[in-house]
Amino acid sequence: MEFDQLPRAPNYSLLSKMATNDGHGENSSYFDGWKAYDSDPFHPIDNPEGVIQMGLAENQLCLDLMQEWIKKNPKASICTEAGVPEFKAIANFQDYHGLPEFREAIAKFMGKVRGEGINFDPARIVMSGGATGAAEILAFCLADPGEAFLVPTPYYPAFDRDLRWRTGIQLFPIHCESTNHFKITQSALESAYEKAQQANIRVKGVLVTNPSNPLGTTLDKKTLRTLVSFINAKRIHLICDEIFAGTVFSEPRFVGVSEILEEDPNCDQSLIHITYSLSKVLGLPGFRVGVVYSYNDTVVRCARRMSSFGLVSSQTQYLLASMLSDDEFTTELIAESRRRLSKRHEIFTSRLAQEGIQCLESNAGLFCWMNLKMLLKESTVEGELELWRRIIDDMKLNVSPGSSFHCSEPGWFRVCFANIDDETMEVALQRFKSFMRQAKKKRWQNGLRLSFPRRFEGMTTMTPMTPSLLSPHSPVVRATTPA
C-alpha cells in the first residue's frame, strides 16, 4: 500500500493544522490524472494499454545533447575519475550564497535565453529548491497571511500550493476577456484590484507567467509596460514567473520584464521580481534548480537567508556551472531545443486538427491548450470532468481539465507533448483519432450531431471564483439537431 493511501490518524488534535488541512491541493483533478498514470503507466512492451502521461510539462527532447556533453566533459562531475580531485572541496560545507561560478553561469544563461543585451547581476541570483521553492520564497518576502496577489486566469494549478499553502496568502483572479485573446488589460487589472479592495483584501502584488502556463503564449511589450505602470501606480509588486522563457519556439520572440526595465528608467525597479528554473529549457526538474532574481536589495537578502531551507546541492552547482559556461554548447542547445519543440508542436497540433481538434495558437511552452467543447454533453464543470474521466478511462491519456487551471469555460484541456518520445506520441495520436471517430459515430446525444468549428478563434473567459459559469461572450460550440 502506498503511504498516501494509508488511513489517517483518528486524533487530529495531536497534529498541527498544517498536517491536517487540504491546503496542498492534491484533491484537484490535475493531480488525480497523475495518480491515474502512476497506477497504470504506459510501456510500449510491458504495458501497451496503459495510461500515457500527457499531464506533465517536462522537456525530454534534448536530453541526448546534455548526455553527450557530460561524456565529453568528465571533469565537470566530482563523481567521475577525472573529476574526483575536486570531490573534497565541493562535497564540504557550502554557504547559502552558492558557488560564485554557479551564480555567474546562471546569470549569463538567463541573459542568453532572453536575447543578447539583457544582463543579469550574479549578486542578485538566489538559489531555491526548484521554481516551487522560488515562488514560495517570494510570497514569504512580499506578503503576510491574508494578503493577496492578483493572478490572470487560467493559471498553473500548483500555484495554489506553491504560494498559498504555507504562507497563508490569497490568489485573486484577474478576469481576462476572451474577446482580446486573454491579454491583460488596464481595465482588467483595475477591476480585479477594486474587487479585492471591496472584499477587504489587501493586494500586495501581481503574479504573471510569461510564457503562459497553460496557454503557451508570450506577453507582448505593451502588456508588460501596462503591468509595470500599474504596479508602480498602486505601489505593489510584480512577480514574473519566466520558467518557460527558454521554450519559445516561434514568433513573436520572448520579451521579459527585464527588457522593459532597461527601457524605462523612471519605474521603481525595487517592485520587480523574477522566478526562473532550469527544469523546462534543459529538462532537469530532478536537479531542483530554481532561481529568485529580485531588483529589491532587502528581498535579495531575506530570500538568500530563506534559501537555506531548500538549497541546490554543491555537486549540482558544480556540474551546471561548467555546462552553462560552455558558450558554444549552450548556443547550440538553445537553438536545437527550439527547433525540436517547434517540430513536435507542429506535428502534434496538425494531427489533432485532422480529427477536428483545435488548439489555441501558441508559440511557447511544452503543451497545447486544447479545445474539446464540441464533445461536452453539457457545458458545465461536471460535463467537462465527465469527458475527462472518459479520456482517462477509455483513451488512457492523462490530460489536464481546464477547471483545474481555474478556467470558467468548460471544455478546455492542457495536453503536454514534450515529455514523451516519438513512438509514444504516435500511440497517443492514434488514441485521439479512435476516440474522436467513435464520438462522431456515437453522436453522444440522441438526435444531435456534433458541431465542429470551421475555424478556431482561440478565445475563452476564465475566473477561479465562479468555475461553473460560462462567459456571456463565450463562443461555445453547441450540439445542434440534424438538418
Side-chain angles (χ1 to χ4, degrees):
M1 179 181 288
E2 292 293 332
F3 184 80
D4 287 345
Q5 297 173 335
L6 293 174
R8 295 191 178 194
N11 194 344
Y12 275 15
S13 64
L14 298 177
L15 304 175
S16 70
K17 292 180 180 179
M18 182 69 68
T20 57
N21 69 26
D22 292 323
H24 186 274
E26 282 191 354
N27 57 348
S28 164
S29 54
Y30 175 74
F31 291 107
D32 285 344
W34 288 24
K35 295 170 186 176
Y37 165 77
D38 288 340
S39 64
D40 184 25
F42 170 84
H43 187 277
I45 298 173
D46 297 336
N47 191 21
E49 303 301 321
V51 177
I52 295 177
Q53 173 64 290
M54 305 191 81
L56 179 61
E58 192 171 79
N59 185 2
Q60 297 188 19
L61 301 185
C62 284
L63 293 179
D64 60 312
L65 300 182
M66 283 176 282
Q67 289 172 326
E68 286 302 314
W69 185 90
I70 292 172
K71 291 177 182 178
K72 295 176 181 177
N73 297 270
K75 288 185 178 181
S77 172
I78 60 173
C79 296
T80 65
E81 184 176 352
V84 77
E86 296 297 322
F87 181 87
K88 181 178 180 180
I90 299 302
N92 283 343
F93 175 79
Q94 303 289 339
D95 68 27
Y96 46 59
H97 287 75
L99 300 177
E101 57 267 36
F102 173 73
R103 288 187 285 116
E104 290 170 6
I106 286 282
K108 185 175 182 180
F109 185 74
M110 287 175 63
K112 195 169 192 177
V113 164
R114 287 156 178 77
E116 299 300 329
I118 305 300
N119 299 308
F120 291 91
D121 182 357
R124 295 191 176 278
I125 295 289
V126 180
M127 294 181 298
S128 70
T132 297
E136 186 183 61
I137 284 174
L138 277 179
F140 271 123
C141 288
L142 304 180
D144 291 315
E147 296 176 336
F149 289 98
L150 305 180
V151 189
T153 57
Y155 64 81
Y156 174 48
F159 276 158
D160 294 321
R161 172 200 66 195
D162 300 353
L163 286 101
R164 296 178 56 198
W165 187 32
R166 300 198 297 184
T167 66
I169 70 163
Q170 303 183 59
L171 299 182
F172 201 89
I174 300 171
H175 189 70
C176 300
E177 294 291 340
S178 60
T179 51
N180 70 349
H181 300 273
F182 308 107
K183 287 188 177 181
I184 307 168
T185 63
Q186 182 75 31
S187 60
L189 288 164
E190 294 287 356
S191 176
Y193 187 84
E194 290 174 8
K195 288 178 181 178
Q197 286 192 315
Q198 291 169 4
N200 294 319
I201 298 173
R202 185 183 182 188
V203 176
K204 293 302 294 288
V206 177
L207 167 67
V208 297
T209 57
N210 182 31
S212 169
N213 177 11
L215 303 178
T217 56
T218 50
L219 297 180
D220 56 31
K221 276 192 174 184
K222 181 180 178 182
T223 301
L224 285 166
R225 289 182 183 127
T226 296
L227 285 164
V228 171
S229 175
F230 176 80
I231 62 102
N232 270 269
K234 302 296 184 186
R235 304 306 299 160
I236 59 177
H237 297 274
L238 174 61
I239 301 176
C240 289
D241 177 354
E242 297 184 350
I243 186 174
F244 289 100
T247 68
V248 178
F249 50 78
S250 65
E251 295 294 331
R253 71 175 183 86
F254 176 76
V255 179
V257 69
S258 303
E259 188 170 336
I260 304 302
L261 298 186
E262 292 190 3
E263 296 176 357
D264 185 0
N266 298 319
C267 72
D268 185 350
Q269 296 192 3
S270 69
L271 300 174
I272 309 297
H273 321 273
I274 298 170
T275 57
Y276 187 61
S277 168
L278 299 181
S279 298
K280 306 307 180 182
V281 62
L282 297 185
L284 300 174
F287 278 35
R288 308 310 302 150
V289 179
V291 170
V292 171
Y293 189 92
S294 176
Y295 291 89
N296 186 306
D297 294 341
T298 303
V299 170
V300 171
R301 284 195 296 271
C302 180
R304 185 156 288 143
R305 291 164 184 160
M306 295 187 73
S307 71
S308 61
F309 295 100
L311 290 174
V312 180
S313 76
S314 55
Q315 176 185 347
T316 299
Q317 292 182 54
Y318 185 74
L319 171 65
L320 292 176
S322 181
M323 180 183 290
L324 298 182
S325 298
D326 187 334
D327 279 336
E328 183 178 352
F329 172 72
T330 55
T331 298
E332 176 188 351
L333 177 67
I334 292 170
E336 183 61 15
S337 176
R338 287 171 176 165
R339 188 191 70 79
R340 294 184 186 184
L341 280 172
S342 178
K343 180 180 178 182
R344 176 62 69 88
H345 176 268
E346 171 61 26
I347 293 173
F348 190 73
T349 55
S350 62
R351 290 281 297 278
L352 289 180
Q354 290 176 13
E355 304 305 325
I357 301 175
Q358 301 293 338
C359 298
L360 180 73
E361 184 177 353
S362 60
N363 67 316
L366 311 173
F367 35 74
C368 299
W369 193 232
M370 183 172 62
N371 175 16
L372 296 181
K373 291 183 290 184
M374 80 293 287
L375 297 181
L376 297 181
K377 288 184 178 180
E378 56 180 36
S379 294
T380 62
V381 170
E382 291 74 18
E384 176 183 277
L385 293 179
E386 180 184 352
L387 174 59
W388 170 71
R389 292 186 191 100
R390 294 197 64 178
I391 293 173
I392 292 281
D393 296 339
D394 298 346
M395 295 174 67
K396 294 298 185 73
L397 297 176
N398 173 33
V399 300
S400 305
S403 54
S404 67
F405 291 82
H406 302 278
C407 176
S408 64
E409 184 175 331
W412 294 94
F413 294 80
R414 193 194 71 171
V415 53
C416 301
F417 58 76
N419 64 319
I420 52 179
D421 57 30
D422 291 341
E423 292 74 17
T424 304
M425 182 183 70
E426 183 60 35
V427 175
L429 288 169
Q430 287 298 325
R431 292 183 183 183
F432 273 113
K433 180 178 179 179
S434 298
F435 187 79
M436 290 300 293
R437 296 192 176 184
Q438 289 174 15
K440 293 175 186 178
K441 184 177 180 181
K442 236 176 172 180
R443 300 183 185 277
W444 283 61
Q445 299 180 44
N446 293 332
L448 299 181
R449 65 178 174 84
L450 296 173
S451 177
F452 289 86
R454 292 186 180 179
R455 67 185 183 90
F456 177 57
E457 298 296 341
M459 299 179 178
T460 171
T461 305
M462 308 173 184
T463 170
M465 306 302 288
T466 54
S468 62
L469 298 180
L470 286 175
S471 163
H473 308 292
S474 171
V476 178
V477 180
R478 304 188 184 278
T480 59
T481 55

